[in-house]
Amino acid sequence: DAKTTQPPSMDCAEGRAANLPCNHSTISGNEYVYWYRQIHSQGPQYIIHGLKNNETNEMASLIITEDRKSSTLILPHATLRDTAVYYCIVRVTFTGGGNKLTFGTGTQLKVEL
Amino acid sequence: EAGVAQSPRYKIIEKRQSVAFWCNPISGHATLYWYQQILGQGPKLLIQFQNNGVVDDSQLPKDRFSAERLKGVDSTLKIQPAKLEDSAVYLCASSLEYYNEQFFGPGTRLTVL
């Protein structure tokens, strides 16, 4: 499985953009990058995913480098409710319909006033 | 749209006892997952079902853990007998198909004394 590397923690001021980096240098050509977050005492929540192109939805933007070895999740206007652990995951899909998300320890984002 | 339901939310048992967790996925979701999350770590996949068939159970400790999804809808995960190291949050997730994003339930927090 492609391994991801994320900083263990980051701080962000409320209202500012939060940029969360992720390295996935061993990613294969057909593997997607997924981002989930987990607010304290809740189950993980899907944020966004991408393969090659940059993606944007109502929650965030995902910027993937051209060589696909790294990506950045952008929360454009962070609020206190965005305080959570953010997981960057390379999804492995295998024969037979298997779909494996291997979670690391993620980045603890703390949004402060 | 109702989310993934899990029960109970909390369970405390003594080692060597048995315990069962229940999960009701989002209606229409063919794929169901069970994860184990130990404190301070990311979730780890235990088993994946596609409808009522097992796709991946490579990380399920089969000597003590079992899971079923008999009618392809709700699922139960059982531990028998429990060990101290089984103390964790057990998360259930579902997706429309195996290649879609996963939606997680709130989890069951198990404490083994």
Side-chain angles (χ1 to χ4, degrees), chain B residues 19-90:
Chain B
V19 65
F21 313 124
W22 175 81
C23 172
N24 191 22
I26 293 173
S27 178
H29 280 199
T31 314
L32 185 146
Y33 311 81
W34 283 101
Y35 288 83
Q36 178 193 57
Q37 186 171 23
I38 293 171
L39 188 64
Q41 300 180 17
K44 182 184 85 171
L45 178 68
L46 294 175
I47 189 168
Q48 177 190 343
F49 290 94
Q50 181 70 17
N51 297 307
N52 61 352
V54 175
V55 175
D56 180 12
D57 63 357
S58 58
Q59 298 190 93
L60 186 73
K62 298 181 188 63
D63 57 334
R64 297 183 301 106
F65 285 65
S66 64
E68 59 183 16
R69 193 185 184 201
L70 292 175
K71 296 182 179 179
V73 180
D74 56 353
S75 175
T76 55
L77 176 70
K78 297 179 182 177
I79 307 175
Q80 180 180 11
K83 293 184 175 182
L84 296 177
E85 58 261 36
D86 298 332
S87 293
V89 175
Y90 291 85

Side-chain angles (χ1 to χ4, degrees), chain A residues 3-22:
Chain A
K3 184 176 172 60
T4 61
T5 304
Q6 300 178 253
S9 64
M10 293 182 64
D11 294 332
C12 179
E14 190 177 35
R16 305 296 293 267
N19 297 281
L20 291 89
C22 179

Side-chain angles (χ1 to χ4, degrees), chain A:
Chain A
D1 298 354
K3 184 176 172 60
T4 61
T5 304
Q6 300 178 253
S9 64
M10 293 182 64
D11 294 332
C12 179
E14 190 177 35
R16 305 296 293 267
N19 297 281
L20 291 89
C22 179
N23 286 320
H24 32 78
S25 58
T26 60
I27 192 170
S28 298
N30 60 348
E31 291 177 334
Y32 283 78
V33 178
Y34 275 69
W35 284 83
Y36 282 76
R37 73 179 183 184
Q38 189 170 24
I39 295 169
H40 184 62
S41 296
Q42 296 183 20
Q45 176 190 22
Y46 166 79
I47 302 173
I48 198 167
H49 72 280
L51 182 63
K52 295 180 182 178
N53 301 319
N54 299 336
E55 302 288 344
T56 296
N57 63 20
E58 65 277 5
M59 288 184 68
S61 295
L62 175 60
I63 309 297
I64 302 174
T65 58
E66 194 169 341
D67 63 7
R68 303 212 324 122
K69 292 184 177 182
S70 66
S71 60
T72 301
L73 179 75
I74 301 172
L75 307 178
H77 305 287
T79 71
L80 297 177
R81 287 177 293 182
D82 292 321
T83 292
V85 177
Y86 287 76
Y87 295 100
C88 168
I89 302 159
V90 172
R91 191 195 76 179
V92 175
T93 301
F94 49 90
T95 305
N99 176 18
K100 191 172 181 180
L101 297 180
T102 301
F103 288 79
T105 51
T107 295
Q108 172 67 63
L109 175 69
K110 186 176 181 182
V111 182
E112 299 173 308
L113 293 171

